[in-house]
Amino acid sequence: MPFPVDTVQFEYDATVTMSDGLPLHINVYRPKASGRYPVIITHGIYGKDVLWQTAPPYQAAWEKMSQKLPGLCDGSTCQFMRWEMPDPERWVPQGYVVIHADSRGAGKTPGYLDPLGARETQDYKELIEWAAQQPWSSGKVGLLGISYYAINQWQVAALQPKGLAAIIPWEGAFDAYRDMSYHGGIASTLFSKLWMNTQILPNQHGNGASPFVDAITGGPAAGAAIPETVLRGSASSLLKDMLAHPYDDAYYAQRTPRAERIVVPTLSAGNWSGAGLHLRGNLEAYQQIAAQQKWLRVHTGDHFSPFYAPQSFAVQKAFFDRFLKGDETAFPDEPRVMLTIRDPKNGFRERAESAWPIERTEYQRWYLDANQLQLHQQLPQQGHSASYAARSDGLSFVMPAADTDREFTGPLMAHLWVSTSSADADFFLTLRLLDPTGRDVTFEGANAPAVPVTQGWLRLSQRAQDPARSLPYRPWHAHQAPQAVVPGDPYPIDVEIWPTSIVVPAGYRLVLTIQGQDFSFPHLTEGLFRGSAPFLHEDRDPTLYGGTNTILSGPQQASFLLLPFIPATRQDRGGAE
């Protein structure tokens, strides 16, 4: 297929030999004009030759994004749009080389398929160093992409490949255990099943039954078919591996980057609506990495249109123009933190901040009253308890409505006194917003049509914390071994709730719902996407996690929700700062 832009040189299905002799298959898009240009790379499992808009698992997302971005293909034919990758038709005319690579065992590249494994990350390092040395390369490489193509940016950046000059990890997990495998020690099984069966294995190299078509040749995007017995033995099983490693051991350590080794300029972009996968990692990594030149942006809404929107492309290009091209006039005086403030009544807005968490945060304790099922800033003077069946709608603690708007933006947690009738218990915490009529205010999720404000999880036997890493507003659970649970005994637990931004308008109420199962909105009773999908926690033993749980409150067993209150600035009130 000739490239639709005359000034672009398209090298289809080239190969780069890895250190162990494996040929890594890549597509290279570069300016025809002679010269040396910075390089942007994506390397992963979804198919360098799979056209997004015609691939069966991806068509619905494409249609949704196209409706949100009606001008998406105005500056591009979109013939080279690939799932979660940058569009070469937009980048190459701007003076960049773009490389799309099929990682080991995926698409056209042979080998053992082990997503996010050590060998895959080593291949990525070698590809970066190869690209930096090519005659058409300036020697500077940047990484760009969504989700998987963000997760492996963090991983390979920690290996410090020669030539890597900047990264833009967009909505990508960082901690392999806490961000994507186990939420508070509870296995996120449904996502692993769906991901493996609908996206990873269909594009495994040699899968003769793959529905993916090579958009360039019309042939199979996964290469020539290999025998089924060989195919089954040529890929790891993410779900089996995850369930075989229920604690944060060496398996996850290998897949979790060493933050102190990430030193390149970084633009980290997360999504408030991405609880379950596409938020925590971007925020934690921003705080932990050693890079001196780092920026954080947090948006909201669906998983794709924020990345491909014209204003986002402009930010991405300015960042790369500065750190890959050396243009000191690009990305000028950018605030270190840019947050979308979610206000369901007055509209969402962007606001610049100098730090994360926001420096002027006032952490407020809202105490649970187990008698009245309410949240108050005053500690209840009498002790009470309230119980619920784990497999039920649980208990909802309601904050009184106020006559003024209140903003809560930042990390949050809950300190709870709990007991259970069984030998263990799972606690699912959901922060919800109710309008004056009592109806849930929902938000468009990164991976679901309707999500609550935010969520948190903790398994009671996994309550042990690492004091060296815990913060007053964000507990860090060790997840090294189970602690004993005696039925009926009360235990204090600190539950990490993923950060959020929400303005609670006058007359609206926040609600903390505590359950022993995944949350579903009361008004959504059918289908998969009822409030927590696709990050559901299935296959839990009902004899262990299906008992009766109890929440205690009062002066001796004070349970509270810690919220990040943001006082209004003069600018928020309509004046100048």
Side-chain angles (χ1 to χ4, degrees):
M1 175 190 292
F3 201 81
V5 180
D6 291 339
T7 58
V8 175
Q9 178 69 43
F10 175 36
E11 298 178 34
Y12 166 70
D13 208 31
T15 59
V16 180
T17 303
M18 299 289 98
S19 56
D20 64 351
L22 180 129
L24 192 79
H25 286 244
I26 66 173
N27 289 344
V28 181
Y29 308 84
R30 57 186 177 86
K32 279 186 179 178
S34 60
R36 299 171 69 86
Y37 302 94
V39 185
I40 299 171
I41 301 180
T42 54
H43 167 264
I45 57 174
Y46 295 136
K48 67 180 178 63
D49 300 316
V50 177
L51 184 62
W52 182 339
Q53 47 270 49
T54 61
Y58 307 140
Q59 289 173 322
W62 176 265
E63 292 171 2
K64 180 178 178 180
M65 182 171 66
S66 298
Q67 292 173 359
K68 287 193 168 188
L69 302 174
L72 178 64
C73 296
D74 287 351
S76 168
T77 67
C78 290
Q79 295 179 47
F80 295 84
M81 288 288 285
R82 306 294 185 252
W83 179 258
E84 300 184 336
M85 305 184 207
D87 181 1
E89 286 190 63
R90 288 180 172 83
W91 283 99
V92 178
Q94 301 298 325
Y96 288 90
V97 176
V98 172
I99 294 176
H100 292 165
D102 281 339
S103 58
R104 182 176 296 241
K108 300 291 176 52
T109 299
Y112 186 78
L113 177 62
D114 185 22
L116 302 173
R119 181 65 239 194
E120 183 181 287
T121 308
Q122 176 63 25
D123 290 345
Y124 204 175
K125 177 179 183 288
E126 294 177 15
L127 176 61
I128 291 168
E129 295 181 340
W130 172 86
Q133 297 171 359
Q134 296 311 297
W136 34 257
S137 170
S138 69
K140 294 197 177 216
V141 176
L143 309 180
L144 176 65
I146 312 174
S147 194
Y148 194 95
Y149 299 110
I151 297 169
N152 63 15
Q153 286 184 52
W154 297 120
Q155 290 180 316
V156 75
L159 299 185
Q160 299 183 348
K162 295 178 182 178
L164 183 62
I167 61 174
I168 306 180
W170 197 280
E171 295 192 30
F174 187 82
D175 187 315
Y177 184 88
R178 294 163 182 81
D179 295 348
M180 60 187 299
S181 301
Y182 283 79
H183 297 138
I186 310 169
S188 179
T189 51
L190 178 66
F191 172 71
S192 297
K193 292 176 186 176
L194 291 174
W195 188 35
M196 196 75 186
N197 294 329
T198 63
Q199 292 185 271
I200 298 177
L201 291 180
N203 194 51
Q204 181 183 359
H205 177 73
N207 184 350
S210 173
F212 296 131
V213 174
D214 186 325
I216 309 302
T217 68
I226 62 177
E228 182 67 25
T229 54
V230 177
L231 193 70
R232 287 198 301 267
S234 299
S236 63
S237 172
L238 287 181
L239 182 61
K240 288 183 180 179
D241 289 346
M242 183 180 77
L243 294 177
H245 297 272
Y247 306 113
D248 188 12
D249 59 14
Y251 175 82
Y252 301 103
Q254 179 270 309
R255 286 166 164 76
T256 299
R258 289 175 53 188
E260 72 276 8
R261 289 186 52 81
I262 300 177
V263 296
V264 295
T266 300
L267 175 59
S268 176
N271 188 335
W272 294 131
S273 298
L277 183 61
H278 296 117
L279 172 62
R280 184 185 187 275
N282 286 98
L283 296 168
E284 284 290 333
Y286 174 76
Q287 291 181 271
Q288 294 179 29
I289 64 175
Q292 295 300 306
Q293 294 174 302
K294 58 182 180 179
W295 288 262
L296 173 68
R297 300 178 73 90
V298 189
H299 52 268
T300 192
D302 75 273
H303 188 42
F304 307 104
S305 58
F307 179 83
Y308 292 99
Q311 59 270 31
S312 296
F313 175 76
V315 171
Q316 296 160 10
K317 179 179 178 299
F319 183 77
F320 279 159
D321 282 353
R322 177 172 172 182
F323 293 108
L324 299 187
K325 290 186 175 181
D327 183 356
E328 294 297 331
T329 66
F331 209 66
D333 303 320
E334 283 291 319
R336 288 292 174 154
V337 177
M338 182 67 74
L339 307 175
T340 296
I341 307 303
R342 298 192 297 182
D343 186 337
K345 188 173 183 181
N346 301 308
F348 297 179
R349 61 187 182 276
E350 285 194 330
R351 188 176 68 213
E353 297 289 348
S354 59
W356 174 264
I358 298 171
E359 291 178 330
R360 62 185 182 282
T361 304
E362 298 176 3
Y363 290 99
Q364 296 181 346
R365 289 188 178 188
W366 287 83
Y367 292 96
L368 279 66
D369 184 338
N371 182 39
Q372 299 181 355
L373 297 184
Q374 292 181 345
L375 296 168
H376 293 289
Q377 288 192 276
Q378 293 76 38
L379 179 66
Q381 295 305 300
Q382 293 185 340
H384 290 281
S385 65
S387 300
Y388 62 93
R391 295 177 178 272
S392 72
D393 292 337
L395 300 175
S396 290
F397 295 83
V398 183
M399 179 186 294
D403 56 8
T404 59
D405 294 356
R406 295 170 292 182
E407 179 190 335
F408 300 98
T409 297
L412 59 156
M413 55 83 70
H415 176 81
L416 305 176
W417 278 88
V418 303
S419 67
T420 183
S421 65
S422 56
D424 205 350
D426 290 339
F427 291 89
F428 293 74
L429 274 59
T430 303
L431 191 65
R432 302 157 58 192
L433 181 65
L434 303 184
D435 68 17
T437 70
R439 185 175 177 84
D440 276 279
V441 176
T442 66
F443 301 88
E444 181 182 21
N447 301 96
V451 296
V453 175
T454 189
Q455 294 173 297
W457 310 263
L458 185 64
R459 177 158 287 173
L460 184 55
S461 62
Q462 292 293 302
R463 63 190 180 275
Q465 294 185 48
D466 180 347
R469 302 196 69 174
S470 291
L471 298 168
Y473 51 78
R474 195 269 291 126
W476 188 279
H477 296 95
H479 297 303
Q480 293 296 309
Q483 286 190 305
V485 174
V486 177
D489 281 5
Y491 297 97
I493 62 172
D494 289 332
V495 184
E496 178 185 4
I497 302 174
W498 284 24
T500 194
S501 174
I502 186 66
V503 173
V504 182
Y508 287 60
R509 294 169 295 163
L510 280 180
V511 176
L512 177 66
T513 295
I514 304 175
Q515 300 171 268
Q517 63 181 5
D518 288 297
F519 170 77
S520 296
F521 286 112
H523 65 284
L524 299 177
T525 58
E526 296 182 0
L528 177 63
F529 296 99
R530 299 193 299 264
S532 299
F535 305 107
L536 300 181
H537 307 78
E538 300 179 321
D539 307 319
R540 294 180 300 123
D541 185 349
T543 62
L544 275 178
Y545 310 110
T548 298
N549 300 335
T550 299
I551 307 297
L552 302 99
S553 68
Q556 302 303 316
Q557 294 166 320
S559 296
F560 62 83
L561 172 67
L562 189 73
L563 288 175
F565 175 72
I566 306 299
T569 65
R570 291 179 60 196
Q571 186 177 31
D572 292 333
R573 293 190 295 264
E577 272 286 83

